[in-house]
Amino acid sequence: MTLSAPIAYSRPEPERGDGSGDPAHSTPPDAPMLTLVDEHGARLHDPDLDPWVADIGPDELADLYRDLVVVRRIDAEATALQRQGELALWPPLAGQEAAQIGSARALAASDFAFSSYREHAVAWVRGVEPADLLAVWRGSAPSGWNPYEHGMAVPQIIIGAQTLHATGYAMGLAWDGADAASIAYFGDGATSEGDVNEALVFAASFDAPVVFFCQNNQWAISEPVGLQSKRPLARRADGFGMPGVRVDGNDVLAVLAVTRQALDRARRGGGPTFIEAVTYRMGPHTTADDPTRYRGDDELAAWRRRDPLARVRALLETSGMDVASLDRDVQAAADRAAADLRHAITTLADPAPMTVFDHVYAEPNSHLERQKARYARYLAMFEDGAR
């Protein structure tokens, strides 16, 4: 059983309108977009990228498919939990599964990821328990997990700030002579932030082993990417003196290839790379957002036809794999993950009020002790300790 043979060398031109759907707001198609699996599930050939995914046969592709399905199910369950009042807020990832799974599966255990608030699939790949991912959105924890246990920092809410953290960490790796790299995840809107541009300057100047992974999901809340940039975002790398790569972010195989390539370059001392993964946010920015107020049904329908899950499934069908059986197994795994998540989050105990001071500082100090004493006196005013 093998994958279908590559049918053609292809670097298709990116389509117009990959911003708001309004040509006036779209970026021009002057940067090649790398693709290995097209939206119909056909395997395309690229002599530069193919060696980076030469180890991906049908079984490995099925594993990637399993990841895609499970994280979409977890995301849907989290959205439902928010609608049912179990979470205060949730930023859905639907549509961006391939960009996150492909890039995260390229990471080595020794690498370190710095994310924004939407990289739930990256956290899944790094072994973070979904309940730990949701605890902060329930208000049960100030953050989610021990970063050093998973090689992934907790989500950064400040737009783009994690790019500075990733760059500083990468500079440290270089000084230590470590065979590792960092990766910074951010969105198209973050490319307009000063933090991101400062990180790009430092990373380029010091040849830091960091990969800047921009998920261009077309919308910075309600602002289309065409208003963020008149050129493809990958071209911004030119001005910083680093390679810029534009990849089909709904193609998990192409994302895996370009991220492996960029990480290898970083670990060998080649410096940073900027990857623009062109994808689409199918849901709202967060559960507090109503995307129907700023985008049309036709645009959403067009991107649904490029669904990252459907194209992998279509490719698997051409490999001779029993996809119906695979679907049953994968769906069962996804349902178990969702059920486990629901049980874990709905039975999560509220933290004791005084634990809000835990983990703020590495060591006790008099300022913190005074705050704790005042807060304890305040809580003592309530018979139940304000629980």
Side-chain angles (χ1 to χ4, degrees):
M1 184 168 58
T2 61
L3 292 177
S4 59
I7 60 172
Y9 172 74
S10 176
R11 285 175 182 261
E13 289 295 322
E15 296 184 26
R16 295 194 70 85
D18 56 350
S20 63
D22 177 355
H25 291 165
S26 299
T27 50
D30 65 349
M33 186 155 65
L34 305 178
T35 304
L36 290 177
V37 182
D38 73 10
E39 62 190 79
H40 305 295
R43 177 67 165 89
L44 308 178
H45 176 59
D46 186 310
D48 183 45
L49 296 185
D50 282 345
W52 294 98
V53 288
D55 60 320
I56 305 298
D59 291 341
E60 291 75 19
L61 192 66
D63 288 341
L64 291 170
Y65 179 65
R66 181 184 303 272
D67 279 341
L68 298 173
V69 173
V70 169
V71 297
R72 178 169 288 187
R73 183 69 181 86
I74 289 173
D75 183 60
E77 192 70 18
T79 299
L81 285 165
Q82 194 283 326
R83 299 306 191 200
Q84 294 162 5
E86 298 291 348
L87 303 178
L89 189 72
W90 179 249
L93 66 74
Q96 300 178 221
E97 296 90 348
Q100 296 187 21
I101 292 294
S103 57
R105 284 295 177 201
L107 296 170
S110 55
D111 297 332
F112 213 99
F114 294 82
S115 78
S116 72
Y117 43 78
R118 202 185 303 281
E119 280 70 45
H120 319 312
V122 177
W124 166 261
V125 171
R126 300 301 278 179
V128 175
E129 289 293 331
D132 290 338
L133 190 67
L134 267 62
V136 68
W137 301 104
R138 187 176 170 85
S140 300
S143 63
W145 57 86
N146 182 345
Y148 296 104
E149 290 181 359
H150 301 285
M152 180 175 181
V154 293
Q156 177 57 252
I157 301 298
I158 300 170
I159 303 299
Q162 70 277 13
T163 58
L164 291 167
H165 306 160
T167 300
Y169 188 89
M171 292 169 66
L173 290 173
W175 289 334
D176 289 344
D179 181 23
S182 67
I183 185 169
Y185 289 91
F186 53 99
D188 43 286
T191 61
S192 295
E193 293 289 335
D195 281 0
V196 175
N197 288 271
E198 291 159 12
L200 291 165
V201 168
F202 266 80
S205 297
F206 290 93
D207 290 326
V210 54
V211 175
F212 294 96
F213 193 90
C214 174
Q215 292 176 84
N216 174 5
N217 70 12
Q218 312 301 322
W219 291 94
I221 308 184
S222 58
E223 184 169 304
V225 66
L227 290 180
Q228 293 281 345
S229 177
K230 297 298 183 184
R231 313 295 295 176
L233 296 173
R235 293 283 64 82
R236 291 195 176 189
D238 298 345
F240 295 97
M242 69 178 71
V245 179
R246 198 165 195 239
V247 65
D248 185 337
N250 284 11
D251 175 358
V252 70
L253 207 58
V255 172
L256 178 65
V258 300
T259 311
R260 280 178 168 178
Q261 193 175 39
L263 288 167
D264 179 71
R265 179 175 180 274
R267 296 190 196 102
R268 289 188 292 103
T273 299
F274 184 107
I275 296 173
E276 177 192 2
V278 181
T279 182
Y280 192 73
R281 166 170 57 80
M282 290 187 181
H285 174 70
T286 70
T287 46
D289 174 42
D290 177 8
T292 64
R293 300 186 64 177
Y294 53 81
R295 70 184 187 192
D297 293 340
D298 291 346
E299 179 187 323
L300 181 59
W303 279 94
R304 286 195 186 283
R305 290 193 290 273
R306 307 172 194 173
D307 188 293
L309 279 63
R311 68 174 69 183
V312 174
R313 188 183 186 284
L315 178 59
L316 284 168
E317 284 182 329
T318 68
S319 72
M321 177 169 285
D322 182 354
V323 176
S325 175
L326 175 64
D327 272 338
R328 286 192 294 273
D329 291 344
V330 168
Q331 193 56 55
D335 289 343
R336 283 196 301 273
D340 290 347
L341 171 65
R342 174 170 287 274
H343 175 75
I345 205 67
T346 55
T347 58
L348 191 64
D350 290 337
M354 292 302 291
T355 61
V356 72
F357 297 100
D358 293 350
H359 311 300
V360 177
Y361 292 94
E363 298 177 354
N365 61 73
S366 58
H367 177 68
L368 187 65
E369 293 304 317
R370 284 196 298 274
Q371 287 190 58
K372 291 174 68 173
R374 284 197 293 268
Y375 191 51
R377 290 197 296 273
Y378 171 75
L379 293 176
M381 296 168 60
F382 303 92
E383 290 185 359
D384 63 354
R387 291 180 183 275

